[in-house]
Amino acid sequence: MSKERLKSSLRNIPDFPIKGVQFKDITSWFVNKEHLAELVDLVCDIYKERGITKVVGIESRGFILGGAIAVKLGAGFVPARKSGKLPSETISESYNKEYGTDTIEIHKDAIVESDIVLVHDDLLATGGTMLAVYRLVNRFSPKKVYLNFLIELTELKGRELFPPKTEVDTILSL
């Protein structure tokens, strides 16, 4: 799937979830099985030689491709969820949002020091949620952590939140 075709098939929903926001609806990419497979391939092509052992998908849109990416890379899948959603013992990281704070959690036994972790989400905007997950994953002391997004909204400069040597890849920059 070409980047131009991705751009042209991306739905923009004005004033969602609040007035003034131009929501990037990626579900238009998922309804066609060929497009869905191509998206998984695009992400996996970036990481296929990097030895990924765990893919962390961020609730909720990071779950959509996260599991498929993990299967294709021969890795395990780790859900990063909002507080209180995981059934076993967790570690957590709180972060600031536009309207308060939130907390994200991962099971305490989900990642080990020998893991090479790919953290996947749909969109890099202001970067707060991914920064919290990045910090959370690094508390497990894995060998390496990569960050991946389907879309980056470059004007919001979310990438600048991460330490300079952090490897951040996106499929489409807008």
Side-chain angles (χ1 to χ4, degrees):
M1 179 183 302
S2 75
K3 291 185 180 188
E4 286 308 310
R5 195 162 91 183
L6 278 174
K7 283 182 187 179
S8 69
S9 64
L10 181 65
R11 271 193 299 228
N12 289 302
I13 311 294
D15 299 323
F16 182 82
I18 60 171
K19 189 170 179 60
V21 172
Q22 183 82 335
F23 186 80
K24 305 299 183 196
D25 181 14
I26 62 170
T27 61
S28 59
W29 293 349
F30 301 149
V31 296
N32 178 293
K33 66 181 180 181
E34 287 83 16
H35 293 174
L36 183 59
E38 286 181 65
L39 283 168
V40 172
D41 288 345
L42 283 170
V43 174
C44 290
D45 284 349
I46 298 169
Y47 301 100
K48 65 185 174 190
E49 302 298 326
R50 298 192 190 179
I52 304 296
T53 58
K54 299 280 175 57
V55 175
V56 175
I58 299 175
E59 185 173 350
S60 66
R61 289 183 298 272
F63 292 175
I64 296 169
L65 292 187
I69 292 165
V71 168
K72 185 149 185 150
L73 292 175
F77 179 76
V78 177
R81 301 215 55 198
K82 305 246 183 201
S83 182
K85 302 283 186 172
L86 291 170
S88 191
E89 192 173 348
T90 62
I91 63 169
S92 62
E93 183 79 23
S94 293
Y95 60 101
N96 292 324
K97 294 173 46 171
E98 298 88 305
Y99 305 106
T101 61
D102 212 342
T103 301
I104 197 99
E105 298 178 333
I106 293 177
H107 277 137
K108 186 178 176 181
D109 59 355
I111 298 170
V112 297
E113 289 182 357
S114 61
D115 279 326
I116 299 172
V117 180
L118 169 61
V119 184
H120 170 76
D121 205 3
D122 66 325
L123 180 75
L124 174 57
T126 59
T129 305
M130 180 59 90
L131 181 60
V133 175
Y134 177 75
R135 287 178 177 158
L136 184 58
V137 167
N138 275 296
R139 286 171 52 195
F140 289 96
S141 301
K143 284 184 182 179
K144 180 76 177 168
V145 179
Y146 298 97
L147 307 181
N148 173 265
F149 302 90
L150 296 179
I151 299 171
E152 178 180 6
L153 302 178
T154 56
E155 72 277 1
L156 296 178
K157 302 184 186 308
R159 184 183 289 255
E160 294 176 8
L161 290 178
F162 304 102
K165 293 183 180 182
T166 307
E167 292 189 46
V168 180
D169 293 293
T170 60
I171 300 300
L172 191 62
S173 295
L174 301 174

